[in-house]
């Protein structure tokens, strides 16, 4: 499936892109689902989202997850699988402390202890303490919530978040209000979408409108251990984003393996790339705003604009997914100037696969 040579990391000047079949091999996809996603800290959502919905549910690799805030304000995360026959749980209506299975109604405390078991009176040798939910570790930074499903993680989330906070300075991500989530199913492997996010090389060709907005001369990429940053200033006087203030910067962070934080001084947009199968992913856009700066009209303009750019990215990613499966294409090369971010992501993938395969 993966040859040792393909895992070698050489300087970008001499490097090849990862092999095309890594974008459609079902064996590799299984490895990612079973081990890569469970072996990293994964972004699950923002605490402020929980003011609008009682819980967050998602899938990480093979694991369904539920995340919520209990009565004491603690964030709790569990594998979302009832110990009876595998049903999905939700918070009982109006409660912050009782999880209830949606299949036959078993209930659990917010600590994961089994409590209510309807119509089980003739069952013998049954001890509720053998049927606890599986609880997961949570890491929180400025309201952003990350969880892990295994203790041996590849990425270092604490270091990553501390580094980002030092770069964004006084921008406080915890105070932005959650607006909504918009989800886009895309016919491409999750890594195609991430590669595409990580470079501005395509902007003049795929996004001519965006190209007019960004000041390309200020466009830079920086890489760190488990994240990378692309940043650029908006041209002065732009109607949606620019205030004409030369300090207004856009920060586009990628957090390995599948999260992006697009940060402007008064707005946060989080993208999560959720794999569906080897040829499909869903990209979630979560929008957050400082409502003192963003009124309804400005929010609408921001969302419409993001969607416009997203459609262009979707289209090119779907075509690339087809292109990668051509019998004539195997690997490409990198622009040293423009594709540092892609090279960085692909190098992390290689290190991560090496770790998984050496177990
Ligand atoms: S599967 Fe949960 S109560 Fe039956
Ligand atoms: Fe793009």
């Amino acid at each position: 499936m993966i040859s040792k040579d393909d895992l070698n990391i050489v300087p970008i000047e001499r490097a090849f892109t990862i092999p095309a079949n890594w974008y459609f091999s079902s064996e590799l996809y299984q490895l990612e689902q079973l081990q890569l996603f469970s072996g990293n800290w994964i972004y699950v959502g923002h605490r402020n989202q929980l003011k609008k919905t009682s819980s967050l549910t998602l899938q990480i690799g093979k694991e369904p997850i539920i995340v919520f805030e209990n009565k004491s304000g603690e964030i709790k995360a569990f594998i979302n699988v009832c110990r009876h026959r595998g049903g999905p749980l939700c918070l009982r209506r109006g409660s912050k402390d009782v999880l209830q299975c949606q299949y036959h109604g078993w209930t659990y405390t917010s600590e994961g202890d089994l409590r209510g078991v309807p119509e089980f009176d003739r069952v013998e040798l049954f001890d509720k303490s053998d049927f606890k939910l599986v609880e997961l570790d949570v890491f929180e930074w400025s309201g952003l919530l990350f969880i892990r499903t295994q203790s041996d993680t590849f990425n270092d989330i604490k270091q990553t978040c501390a580094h980002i906070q030092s770069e964004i300075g006084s921008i406080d991500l915890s105070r932005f209000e959650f607006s909504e989530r918009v989800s886009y199913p895309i016919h491409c492997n999750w890594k195609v979408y991430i590669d595409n996010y990580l470079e501005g090389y395509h902007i003049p060709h795929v996004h001519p409108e965006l190209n007019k907005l960004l000041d390309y001369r200020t466009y830079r990429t920086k890489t760190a251990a488990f994240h990378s940053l692309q940043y650029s200033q908006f041209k002065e006087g732009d109607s949606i984003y620019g205030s004409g203030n030369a300090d207004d910067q856009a920060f586009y962070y990628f957090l390995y393996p599948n999260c992006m934080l697009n940060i402007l001084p008064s707005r946060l947009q989080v993208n999560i790339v959720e794999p569906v199968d080897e040829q499909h992913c869903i990209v979630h856009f979560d929008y957050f705003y400082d409502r003192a700066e963003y009124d309804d009209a400005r929010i609408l303009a921001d969302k419409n604009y993001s969607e416009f750019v997203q459609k262009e990215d979707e289209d090119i990613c779907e075509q690339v997914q087809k292109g990668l499966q051509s019998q004539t294409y195997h690997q490409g090369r990198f622009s040293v100037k423009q594709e540092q971010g892609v090279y960085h992501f692909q190098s992390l993938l290689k290190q991560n696969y090496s770790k998984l395969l050496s177990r």
Side-chain angles (χ1 to χ4, degrees):
M1 164 180 57
I2 299 182
S3 86
K4 266 227 159 84
D5 286 350
D6 289 335
L7 292 171
N8 281 342
I9 297 174
V10 300
I12 186 170
E13 292 80 1
R14 285 185 273 128
F16 282 82
T17 58
I18 56 175
N21 66 0
W22 290 16
Y23 296 95
F24 53 86
S25 145
S26 49
E27 265 178 285
L28 189 74
Y29 184 77
Q30 288 307 316
L31 176 77
E32 291 170 349
Q33 288 289 290
L34 286 170
Q35 297 188 50
L36 188 143
F37 280 89
S38 57
N40 278 286
W41 284 97
I42 302 289
Y43 176 80
V44 293
H46 193 293
R47 187 185 270 266
N48 293 351
Q49 275 168 270
L50 294 167
K51 293 183 180 141
K52 282 211 172 167
T53 50
S54 59
S55 59
L56 301 166
T57 52
L58 68 153
Q59 181 86 14
I60 297 180
K62 300 276 184 197
E63 303 298 344
I65 312 285
I66 183 162
V67 181
F68 61 97
E69 182 180 340
N70 73 7
K71 243 194 197 148
S72 351
E74 278 173 289
I75 301 292
K76 291 284 184 180
F78 293 98
I79 300 285
N80 192 12
V81 177
C82 174
R83 311 317 290 170
H84 174 220
R85 277 175 43 220
L89 307 155
C90 62
L91 274 174
R92 192 149 76 183
R93 203 182 262 268
S95 165
K96 289 191 153 194
D97 277 323
V98 181
L99 283 165
Q100 183 161 41
C101 178
Q102 300 178 56
Y103 200 2
H104 316 97
W106 281 23
T107 55
Y108 300 83
T109 68
S110 74
E111 297 304 312
D113 294 317
L114 179 57
R115 198 173 66 179
V117 185
E119 302 177 68
F120 245 52
D121 42 344
R122 280 165 48 211
V123 181
E124 296 176 6
L125 303 174
F126 175 66
D127 184 347
K128 284 185 192 170
S129 65
D130 293 336
F131 294 84
K132 256 182 93 97
L133 294 177
V134 178
E135 187 162 6
L136 303 170
D137 293 334
V138 177
F139 176 79
E140 179 171 3
W141 161 58
S142 258
L144 280 75
L145 307 171
F146 299 83
I147 64 158
R148 60 176 176 184
T149 58
Q150 275 174 17
S151 54
D152 177 21
T153 42
F154 174 70
N155 62 353
D156 181 340
I157 199 64
K158 218 171 150 185
Q159 181 199 359
T160 300
C161 295
H163 192 144
I164 296 175
Q165 188 65 64
S166 72
E167 279 174 342
I168 61 174
S170 60
I171 300 178
D172 175 6
L173 301 178
S174 69
R175 69 192 173 87
F176 295 151
E177 194 179 299
F178 175 63
S179 168
E180 72 169 327
R181 162 171 289 192
V182 183
S183 300
Y184 301 96
I186 311 181
H187 190 160
C188 74
N189 182 273
W190 66 283
K191 301 186 290 295
V192 168
Y193 188 86
I194 291 174
D195 286 343
N196 175 71
Y197 174 88
L198 288 169
E199 42 90 357
Y201 200 18
H202 72 272
I203 292 176
H205 307 282
V206 176
H207 310 297
E209 291 299 317
L210 177 64
N211 198 36
K212 287 187 207 151
L213 218 67
L214 291 171
D215 185 352
Y216 211 62
R217 288 164 308 169
T218 63
Y219 179 87
R220 300 273 184 282
T221 302
K222 283 208 294 197
T223 61
F226 297 100
H227 70 279
S228 60
L229 164 65
Q230 299 168 80
Y231 61 104
S232 167
Q233 278 164 351
F234 287 103
K235 287 183 181 152
E236 288 192 17
D238 156 57
S239 54
I240 311 177
Y241 302 109
S243 56
N245 181 347
D247 293 337
D248 274 4
Q249 276 202 344
F251 297 93
Y252 301 99
Y253 281 103
F254 167 65
L255 280 64
Y256 184 84
N258 69 331
C259 169
M260 294 113 174
L261 306 178
N262 304 312
I263 303 170
L264 296 177
S266 306
R267 170 275 224 177
L268 165 69
Q269 184 201 97
V270 185
N271 307 146
I272 306 170
V273 187
E274 192 183 309
V276 173
D277 63 28
E278 55 269 37
Q279 305 259 10
H280 297 84
C281 62
I282 296 182
V283 183
H284 304 290
F285 278 37
D286 291 340
Y287 292 94
F288 302 85
Y289 299 97
D290 174 352
R291 292 305 310 256
E293 296 292 328
Y294 274 78
D295 60 14
D296 290 349
R298 197 173 176 206
I299 288 177
L300 189 65
D302 178 50
K303 289 179 181 170
N304 286 343
Y305 196 74
S306 294
E307 175 141 325
F308 176 76
V309 174
Q310 168 68 359
K311 292 288 167 198
E312 292 173 333
D313 282 322
E314 241 176 76
D315 188 46
I316 196 71
C317 286
E318 292 188 344
Q319 293 188 63
V320 167
Q321 182 68 26
K322 286 187 191 149
L324 290 167
Q325 291 170 83
S326 158
Q327 303 278 338
T328 67
Y329 180 84
H330 182 50
Q331 277 172 304
R333 299 290 305 267
F334 295 105
S335 157
V336 175
K337 185 167 173 225
Q338 295 284 356
E339 291 174 293
Q340 290 283 349
V342 185
Y343 169 75
H344 171 258
F345 168 55
Q346 297 193 358
S347 300
L348 281 171
L349 274 176
K350 289 181 182 183
Q351 290 170 46
N352 202 162
Y353 292 153
S354 298
K355 178 181 168 173
L356 301 179
L357 294 170
S358 69
R359 275 181 185 167

